[in-house]
Amino acid sequence: GKTLCPQPQAAPCCGFPAAMMTYNIDVGYLEGLLRGYRAGILNSTDYANLTQCETIDDMKMHLSSTDYGNFLQNEPSPISTTTLAQKTTEKLVEEFNFLRMQAVEPLATFLDYITYGYMIDNIILVLTGTSHNRSSEELLEKCHPLGLFDSMATLCVTQSTSELYRTVLVDTPLGPYFGDCISLEDLDEVNIEIIRNTLYKAYLEDFHAFCMKVGGETAEVMGDILKLEADRRAINITVNSLDTDLDLKSREKLYPTIGLLYPEGTSRLIKATDLDAVRSAIDAFPDYRGLLSEGYDDDKTIEDQFFELEVNLNRLAFEQQFHYGMYYAFVKLKEQEIRNIVWIGECISQDQRGRINQYVPIF
């Protein structure tokens, strides 16, 4: 089928001596900036201080001594967790966009790929909202800023699914994913989650192919990260479809064709009809063996455990040089940091201090 992959120029990361000579010409300044941003990610001391706070205003005071600075200074008290999420996300978007504006090829295309995942989420949000007659302003407010594109506003006011389908096909970078995998007849309420997973499958496979073409350290680091993401989706699709009408053939079409589980693990997952079958399907893979174990850790969901695996891989990305994986890792680590800050804020505002330490530590 079609692919979004442009042909990358000569891989910047192939052959270590060559990479050292040429990589910094294009990317050295940006990598320096990125490592500066990474140094500003909250550490265990920051979290220890945040969990001691009595109110979100106390959190604001502590965060002002970190790289977040005075990002909440214009917000009236008491500050809500929604504001906390919005302002921390704005900071991430500002840093990412600054890197994106300075990037040259093939890094510029790589950074575009990072935004496609958010675009998929936004399109699904608009699809769901439109079918429930939500107002376009409300939908746009809920969209993730990294996944906004020029025709987003048009998308929110489309009157019919056929109009929406054409807009996505023509005006967004996701057109090829839609055109290859989804027909107009598929766009109904029942299929919204299937559409999300079909688009993600196409996106992950395409992003993986692009990273392999770039080669070198980028292929190695991003290969591991995208394989984990593909496996997360395969396991979640299986678990979430156990008690639904989704037949096994349709389920098979949603599994990405990359990942540690592919093809052996996924062929077992296809046949799984209950949780025990899912457990035995992933039992041969040490990284995932504990995910569904009974009594392993009742406070942790599968999602939390995947977040921990993801944080670990993203942290390791910064241990190497001359690759693009650290840009992806930075965005994902900041996302986890935002989830952590909001979690701590929620526990404080709802007086659930017993659960306040259930965040995912990063550094």
Side-chain angles (χ1 to χ4, degrees):
K2 300 172 203 159
T3 176
L4 287 182
C5 274
Q7 290 296 321
Q9 296 163 358
C13 333
C14 48
F16 194 69
M20 286 174 68
M21 285 164 57
T22 59
Y23 179 86
N24 284 342
I25 299 169
D26 289 334
V27 191
Y29 167 64
L30 280 187
E31 187 172 325
L33 267 181
L34 183 71
R35 289 187 181 275
Y37 288 157
R38 173 245 172 269
I41 290 176
L42 302 184
N43 56 32
S44 51
T45 315
D46 293 312
Y47 285 119
N49 290 332
L50 287 174
T51 53
Q52 298 302 315
C53 293
E54 293 295 322
T55 63
I56 295 184
D57 285 291
D58 292 348
M59 288 179 69
K60 167 185 169 180
M61 202 161 69
H62 175 72
L63 288 169
S64 67
S65 66
T66 68
D67 272 24
Y68 280 102
N70 297 323
F71 77 124
L72 291 170
Q73 67 180 7
N74 297 324
E75 299 303 318
S77 293
I79 295 165
S80 68
T81 49
T82 312
T83 305
L84 209 51
Q86 186 189 345
K87 292 293 174 186
T88 45
T89 303
E90 277 175 17
K91 181 100 168 66
L92 161 61
V93 172
E94 185 187 310
E95 290 172 349
F96 179 80
N97 284 339
F98 186 75
L99 292 169
R100 200 176 175 188
M101 283 189 294
Q102 315 278 334
V104 295
E105 290 297 348
L107 176 59
T109 301
F110 180 88
L111 295 180
D112 286 344
Y113 267 104
I114 294 176
T115 64
Y116 294 166
Y118 300 100
M119 283 185 195
I120 292 172
D121 290 339
N122 286 351
I123 285 172
I124 297 299
L125 181 77
V126 171
L127 261 175
T128 316
T130 311
S131 64
H132 288 104
N133 300 318
R134 294 274 193 279
S135 74
S136 54
E137 291 83 9
E138 185 189 346
L139 290 175
L140 277 173
E141 267 175 34
K142 287 184 176 172
C143 284
H144 195 291
L146 280 181
L148 295 176
F149 43 85
D150 294 342
S151 56
M152 197 81 212
T154 326
L155 206 60
C156 290
V157 292
T158 47
Q159 298 301 310
S160 64
T161 45
S162 59
E163 212 179 316
L164 187 136
Y165 184 73
R166 274 197 302 277
T167 308
V168 172
L169 217 53
V170 175
D171 290 342
T172 77
L174 304 179
Y177 303 153
F178 254 76
D180 281 358
C181 332
I182 293 164
S183 65
L184 187 52
E185 294 74 49
D186 289 334
L187 289 182
D188 61 42
E189 174 68 37
V190 186
N191 287 323
I192 294 268
E193 275 310 305
I194 294 178
I195 291 167
R196 184 202 299 277
N197 286 305
T198 308
L199 289 174
Y200 255 104
K201 167 185 154 75
Y203 160 61
L204 287 174
E205 289 168 1
D206 191 28
F207 194 5
H208 185 266
F210 177 78
C211 293
M212 294 305 110
K213 279 181 186 166
V214 171
E217 296 285 320
T218 299
E220 186 188 327
V221 172
M222 284 306 295
D224 289 342
I225 289 173
L226 292 174
K227 278 175 191 167
L228 175 68
E229 185 55 39
D231 291 342
R232 184 216 310 248
R233 301 203 81 80
I235 293 170
N236 279 339
I237 287 164
T238 312
V239 171
N240 294 336
S241 64
L242 289 178
D243 299 321
T244 64
D245 300 333
L246 188 69
D247 61 86
L248 303 187
K249 196 126 190 81
S250 305
R251 188 201 288 174
E252 182 181 2
K253 287 180 186 165
L254 301 178
Y255 293 148
T257 54
I258 56 170
L260 296 177
L261 293 176
Y262 180 80
E264 222 164 285
T266 47
S267 67
R268 289 191 207 143
L269 284 175
I270 291 161
K271 303 184 190 94
T273 50
D274 57 30
L275 217 47
D276 286 332
V278 180
R279 276 192 199 103
S280 61
I282 61 176
D283 193 53
F285 302 88
D287 286 353
Y288 308 137
R289 193 171 291 151
L291 286 177
L292 296 163
S293 302
E294 287 176 16
Y296 167 67
D297 188 338
D298 294 336
D299 287 335
K300 283 185 184 170
T301 60
I302 297 185
E303 197 177 19
D304 290 336
Q305 293 172 65
F306 265 119
F307 283 148
E308 286 177 2
L309 291 170
E310 183 184 50
V311 161
N312 191 40
L313 274 183
N314 289 327
R315 204 170 37 213
L316 288 174
F318 283 93
E319 301 296 319
Q320 301 183 45
Q321 284 180 296
F322 311 120
H323 69 93
Y324 298 155
M326 64 185 87
Y327 295 86
Y328 182 92
F330 167 70
V331 173
K332 294 300 172 183
L333 289 176
K334 285 296 277 186
E335 270 205 324
Q336 185 57 54
E337 178 175 281
I338 292 166
R339 280 193 292 271
N340 289 347
I341 291 171
V342 172
W343 173 263
I344 292 169
E346 288 282 7
C347 288
I348 289 171
S349 62
Q350 294 176 25
D351 203 19
Q352 293 279 335
R353 291 196 162 272
R355 303 181 63 194
I356 203 165
N357 288 311
Q358 289 173 19
Y359 58 84
V360 179
I362 299 175
F363 289 114

CSV table of all heavy atoms in Angstrom, one decimal, residues 235 238-239 242 261 265 268-269 271-286 288-296 298 302 305:
chain,number,residue,atom,x,y,z
A,235,ILE,N,-1.7,-6.5,23.2
A,235,ILE,CA,-2.2,-7.1,24.5
A,235,ILE,C,-3.5,-6.4,24.9
A,235,ILE,O,-4.5,-7.0,25.3
A,235,ILE,CB,-1.1,-7.0,25.6
A,235,ILE,CG1,0.0,-7.9,25.2
A,235,ILE,CG2,-1.7,-7.4,27.0
A,235,ILE,CD1,1.3,-7.8,26.1
A,238,THR,N,-6.5,-7.4,22.8
A,238,THR,CA,-6.9,-8.7,23.1
A,238,THR,C,-7.8,-8.7,24.4
A,238,THR,O,-8.9,-9.2,24.5
A,238,THR,CB,-5.7,-9.7,23.3
A,238,THR,OG1,-4.9,-9.6,22.2
A,238,THR,CG2,-6.2,-11.1,23.4
A,239,VAL,N,-7.2,-8.1,25.4
A,239,VAL,CA,-7.9,-8.0,26.7
A,239,VAL,C,-9.2,-7.3,26.6
A,239,VAL,O,-10.3,-7.7,27.1
A,239,VAL,CB,-7.0,-7.4,27.8
A,239,VAL,CG1,-7.8,-7.1,29.1
A,239,VAL,CG2,-5.8,-8.2,28.1
A,242,LEU,N,-12.2,-9.3,24.8
A,242,LEU,CA,-12.6,-10.7,25.3
A,242,LEU,C,-14.1,-10.8,25.4
A,242,LEU,O,-14.6,-11.8,25.0
A,242,LEU,CB,-11.9,-11.0,26.6
A,242,LEU,CG,-10.4,-11.3,26.5
A,242,LEU,CD1,-9.8,-11.5,27.9
A,242,LEU,CD2,-10.1,-12.4,25.6
A,261,LEU,N,6.1,-9.6,20.2
A,261,LEU,CA,5.1,-10.7,20.2
A,261,LEU,C,4.8,-11.2,18.8
A,261,LEU,O,4.3,-12.3,18.6
A,261,LEU,CB,3.8,-10.1,20.8
A,261,LEU,CG,3.8,-9.8,22.3
A,261,LEU,CD1,2.4,-9.2,22.6
A,261,LEU,CD2,4.0,-11.0,23.1
A,265,GLY,N,3.8,-14.7,19.3
A,265,GLY,CA,2.9,-14.3,20.4
A,265,GLY,C,1.5,-13.9,19.9
A,265,GLY,O,0.5,-14.2,20.5
A,268,ARG,N,-0.9,-16.6,19.1
A,268,ARG,CA,-1.5,-17.2,20.2
A,268,ARG,C,-2.6,-16.2,20.8
A,268,ARG,O,-3.6,-16.7,21.2
A,268,ARG,CB,-0.5,-17.4,21.3
A,268,ARG,CG,0.4,-18.6,21.0
A,268,ARG,CD,1.2,-18.9,22.3
A,268,ARG,NE,2.5,-19.5,21.9
A,268,ARG,CZ,3.7,-19.3,22.5
A,268,ARG,NH1,3.7,-18.6,23.5
A,268,ARG,NH2,4.8,-19.9,22.1
A,269,LEU,N,-2.3,-14.9,20.7
A,269,LEU,CA,-3.3,-13.9,21.2
A,269,LEU,C,-4.6,-14.0,20.4
A,269,LEU,O,-5.7,-13.8,20.9
A,269,LEU,CB,-2.7,-12.5,21.2
A,269,LEU,CG,-1.7,-12.2,22.3
A,269,LEU,CD1,-1.1,-10.8,22.1
A,269,LEU,CD2,-2.3,-12.2,23.7
A,271,LYS,N,-6.1,-16.4,19.2
A,271,LYS,CA,-7.0,-17.5,19.6
A,271,LYS,C,-7.5,-17.4,21.1
A,271,LYS,O,-8.3,-18.1,21.5
A,271,LYS,CB,-6.2,-18.9,19.5
A,271,LYS,CG,-5.7,-19.1,18.1
A,271,LYS,CD,-5.1,-20.5,18.0
A,271,LYS,CE,-4.3,-20.7,16.7
A,271,LYS,NZ,-2.9,-20.4,16.8
A,272,ALA,N,-6.9,-16.4,21.8
A,272,ALA,CA,-7.3,-16.3,23.2
A,272,ALA,C,-8.7,-15.9,23.4
A,272,ALA,O,-9.2,-14.9,22.8
A,272,ALA,CB,-6.4,-15.2,23.9
A,273,THR,N,-9.5,-16.6,24.3
A,273,THR,CA,-10.9,-16.3,24.5
A,273,THR,C,-11.1,-15.9,26.0
A,273,THR,O,-12.2,-15.6,26.3
A,273,THR,CB,-11.8,-17.5,24.1
A,273,THR,OG1,-11.2,-18.7,24.8
A,273,THR,CG2,-11.8,-17.7,22.6
A,274,ASP,N,-10.1,-16.1,26.8
A,274,ASP,CA,-10.2,-15.6,28.2
A,274,ASP,C,-8.9,-15.1,28.7
A,274,ASP,O,-7.9,-15.3,28.0
A,274,ASP,CB,-10.8,-16.7,29.1
A,274,ASP,CG,-10.0,-18.0,29.1
A,274,ASP,OD1,-8.7,-17.9,28.9
A,274,ASP,OD2,-10.5,-19.1,29.2
A,275,LEU,N,-8.9,-14.6,29.9
A,275,LEU,CA,-7.7,-14.0,30.5
A,275,LEU,C,-6.5,-15.0,30.7
A,275,LEU,O,-5.4,-14.7,30.5
A,275,LEU,CB,-8.0,-13.3,31.8
A,275,LEU,CG,-7.3,-12.0,32.1
A,275,LEU,CD1,-7.3,-11.0,30.9
A,275,LEU,CD2,-7.9,-11.3,33.3
A,276,ASP,N,-6.9,-16.2,31.0
A,276,ASP,CA,-5.9,-17.2,31.2
A,276,ASP,C,-5.2,-17.5,29.9
A,276,ASP,O,-3.9,-17.8,29.9
A,276,ASP,CB,-6.5,-18.5,31.8
A,276,ASP,CG,-6.9,-18.4,33.2
A,276,ASP,OD1,-6.3,-17.6,33.9
A,276,ASP,OD2,-7.9,-19.1,33.6
A,277,ALA,N,-5.9,-17.5,28.8
A,277,ALA,CA,-5.3,-17.8,27.5
A,277,ALA,C,-4.4,-16.6,27.1
A,277,ALA,O,-3.3,-16.9,26.5
A,277,ALA,CB,-6.4,-18.0,26.4
A,278,VAL,N,-4.7,-15.4,27.5
A,278,VAL,CA,-3.9,-14.3,27.2
A,278,VAL,C,-2.6,-14.4,28.1
A,278,VAL,O,-1.5,-14.2,27.6
A,278,VAL,CB,-4.5,-12.9,27.6
A,278,VAL,CG1,-3.6,-11.7,27.3
A,278,VAL,CG2,-5.8,-12.8,26.8
A,279,ARG,N,-2.7,-14.8,29.3
A,279,ARG,CA,-1.6,-15.0,30.2
A,279,ARG,C,-0.6,-16.0,29.6
A,279,ARG,O,0.6,-15.8,29.5
A,279,ARG,CB,-2.0,-15.5,31.6
A,279,ARG,CG,-2.4,-14.5,32.5
A,279,ARG,CD,-2.6,-15.0,34.0
A,279,ARG,NE,-3.4,-14.0,34.7
A,279,ARG,CZ,-4.7,-14.2,35.0
A,279,ARG,NH1,-5.3,-15.3,34.7
A,279,ARG,NH2,-5.4,-13.3,35.6
A,280,SER,N,-1.1,-17.2,29.2
A,280,SER,CA,-0.2,-18.2,28.6
A,280,SER,C,0.4,-17.8,27.3
A,280,SER,O,1.5,-18.2,26.9
A,280,SER,CB,-1.0,-19.5,28.5
A,280,SER,OG,-2.0,-19.4,27.6
A,281,ALA,N,-0.3,-16.9,26.5
A,281,ALA,CA,0.2,-16.4,25.2
A,281,ALA,C,1.4,-15.6,25.4
A,281,ALA,O,2.4,-15.6,24.6
A,281,ALA,CB,-0.9,-15.7,24.5
A,282,ILE,N,1.4,-14.8,26.5
A,282,ILE,CA,2.6,-13.8,26.7
A,282,ILE,C,3.6,-14.4,27.7
A,282,ILE,O,4.6,-13.7,28.0
A,282,ILE,CB,2.1,-12.4,27.2
A,282,ILE,CG1,1.3,-12.5,28.5
A,282,ILE,CG2,1.2,-11.8,26.1
A,282,ILE,CD1,0.9,-11.1,29.1
A,283,ASP,N,3.3,-15.6,28.2
A,283,ASP,CA,4.2,-16.2,29.3
A,283,ASP,C,5.6,-16.4,28.8
A,283,ASP,O,6.6,-16.4,29.5
A,283,ASP,CB,3.6,-17.5,29.8
A,283,ASP,CG,4.3,-17.9,31.1
A,283,ASP,OD1,4.4,-17.1,32.0
A,283,ASP,OD2,4.8,-19.1,31.1
A,284,ALA,N,5.8,-16.6,27.5
A,284,ALA,CA,7.1,-16.9,26.9
A,284,ALA,C,8.0,-15.7,26.8
A,284,ALA,O,9.2,-15.8,26.5
A,284,ALA,CB,7.0,-17.6,25.6
A,285,PHE,N,7.4,-14.5,27.1
A,285,PHE,CA,8.1,-13.2,26.9
A,285,PHE,C,8.4,-12.6,28.3
A,285,PHE,O,7.5,-12.1,28.9
A,285,PHE,CB,7.3,-12.3,26.0
A,285,PHE,CG,7.0,-12.9,24.7
A,285,PHE,CD1,5.8,-13.6,24.5
A,285,PHE,CD2,7.8,-12.7,23.6
A,285,PHE,CE1,5.5,-14.2,23.2
A,285,PHE,CE2,7.6,-13.2,22.4
A,285,PHE,CZ,6.4,-14.0,22.2
A,286,PRO,N,9.7,-12.7,28.7
A,286,PRO,CA,10.0,-12.3,30.1
A,286,PRO,C,9.5,-10.9,30.4
A,286,PRO,O,9.1,-10.6,31.6
A,286,PRO,CB,11.5,-12.4,30.1
A,286,PRO,CG,11.9,-13.3,29.0
A,286,PRO,CD,10.8,-13.2,28.0
A,288,TYR,N,6.9,-9.3,29.6
A,288,TYR,CA,5.5,-9.2,29.8
A,288,TYR,C,4.9,-10.2,30.7
A,288,TYR,O,3.7,-10.2,31.0
A,288,TYR,CB,4.8,-9.3,28.4
A,288,TYR,CG,5.4,-8.3,27.4
A,288,TYR,CD1,5.6,-8.8,26.1
A,288,TYR,CD2,5.7,-7.0,27.7
A,288,TYR,CE1,6.1,-7.9,25.1
A,288,TYR,CE2,6.3,-6.2,26.8
A,288,TYR,CZ,6.5,-6.6,25.5
A,288,TYR,OH,7.0,-5.8,24.5
A,289,ARG,N,5.7,-11.2,31.2
A,289,ARG,CA,5.2,-12.3,32.0
A,289,ARG,C,4.4,-11.8,33.2
A,289,ARG,O,3.4,-12.4,33.5
A,289,ARG,CB,6.4,-13.2,32.4
A,289,ARG,CG,5.9,-14.5,32.9
A,289,ARG,CD,7.2,-15.4,33.1
A,289,ARG,NE,7.8,-15.8,31.9
A,289,ARG,CZ,9.1,-16.1,31.7
A,289,ARG,NH1,9.9,-16.0,32.8
A,289,ARG,NH2,9.5,-16.4,30.6
A,290,GLY,N,4.9,-10.8,33.9
A,290,GLY,CA,4.2,-10.4,35.1
A,290,GLY,C,3.0,-9.5,34.9
A,290,GLY,O,2.2,-9.2,35.9
A,291,LEU,N,2.7,-9.1,33.6
A,291,LEU,CA,1.6,-8.1,33.4
A,291,LEU,C,0.2,-8.5,33.9
A,291,LEU,O,-0.5,-7.7,34.5
A,291,LEU,CB,1.5,-7.8,31.9
A,291,LEU,CG,2.6,-7.0,31.3
A,291,LEU,CD1,2.3,-6.9,29.8
A,291,LEU,CD2,2.7,-5.6,31.9
A,292,LEU,N,-0.1,-9.8,33.7
A,292,LEU,CA,-1.5,-10.2,34.1
A,292,LEU,C,-1.5,-11.2,35.3
A,292,LEU,O,-2.4,-11.9,35.5
A,292,LEU,CB,-2.2,-10.9,32.9
A,292,LEU,CG,-2.4,-9.9,31.7
A,292,LEU,CD1,-2.7,-10.7,30.4
A,292,LEU,CD2,-3.6,-8.9,32.0
A,293,SER,N,-0.3,-11.3,35.9
A,293,SER,CA,-0.2,-12.3,37.0
A,293,SER,C,-1.2,-11.9,38.2
A,293,SER,O,-1.2,-10.8,38.6
A,293,SER,CB,1.2,-12.3,37.6
A,293,SER,OG,2.1,-12.6,36.6
A,294,GLU,N,-1.8,-12.9,38.7
A,294,GLU,CA,-2.7,-12.7,39.8
A,294,GLU,C,-1.9,-12.4,41.0
A,294,GLU,O,-1.0,-13.0,41.3
A,294,GLU,CB,-3.6,-13.9,40.0
A,294,GLU,CG,-4.7,-14.1,38.9
A,294,GLU,CD,-5.5,-15.3,39.1
A,294,GLU,OE1,-5.4,-15.9,40.2
A,294,GLU,OE2,-6.2,-15.7,38.1
A,295,GLY,N,-2.4,-11.3,41.7
A,295,GLY,CA,-1.7,-11.0,43.0
A,295,GLY,C,-0.3,-10.4,42.8
A,295,GLY,O,0.4,-10.1,43.8
A,296,TYR,N,0.1,-10.1,41.5
A,296,TYR,CA,1.4,-9.5,41.3
A,296,TYR,C,1.5,-8.1,42.0
A,296,TYR,O,2.4,-7.8,42.8
A,296,TYR,CB,1.7,-9.3,39.8
A,296,TYR,CG,2.9,-8.5,39.5
A,296,TYR,CD1,4.1,-8.9,39.8
A,296,TYR,CD2,2.7,-7.3,38.8
A,296,TYR,CE1,5.2,-8.1,39.5
A,296,TYR,CE2,3.8,-6.5,38.5
A,296,TYR,CZ,5.1,-6.9,38.9
A,296,TYR,OH,6.1,-6.1,38.6
A,298,ASP,N,-1.8,-5.6,43.0
A,298,ASP,CA,-3.2,-5.2,42.8
A,298,ASP,C,-3.5,-3.7,42.5
A,298,ASP,O,-4.5,-3.4,41.9
A,298,ASP,CB,-4.1,-5.7,43.9
A,298,ASP,CG,-4.1,-7.2,44.0
A,298,ASP,OD1,-3.8,-7.9,43.0
A,298,ASP,OD2,-4.3,-7.8,45.1
A,302,ILE,N,-2.6,-2.9,34.0
A,302,ILE,CA,-1.7,-3.2,32.9
A,302,ILE,C,-1.1,-2.0,32.4
A,302,ILE,O,0.1,-1.9,32.0
A,302,ILE,CB,-2.5,-3.9,31.8
A,302,ILE,CG1,-3.1,-5.2,32.2
A,302,ILE,CG2,-1.6,-4.2,30.6
A,302,ILE,CD1,-3.7,-6.0,31.1
A,305,GLN,N,1.8,-0.7,34.4
A,305,GLN,CA,3.0,-1.6,34.2
A,305,GLN,C,3.7,-1.3,32.8
A,305,GLN,O,4.9,-1.3,32.7
A,305,GLN,CB,2.6,-3.0,34.3
A,305,GLN,CG,2.2,-3.4,35.7
A,305,GLN,CD,1.6,-4.8,35.8
A,305,GLN,OE1,2.3,-5.8,35.6
A,305,GLN,NE2,0.4,-4.9,36.1
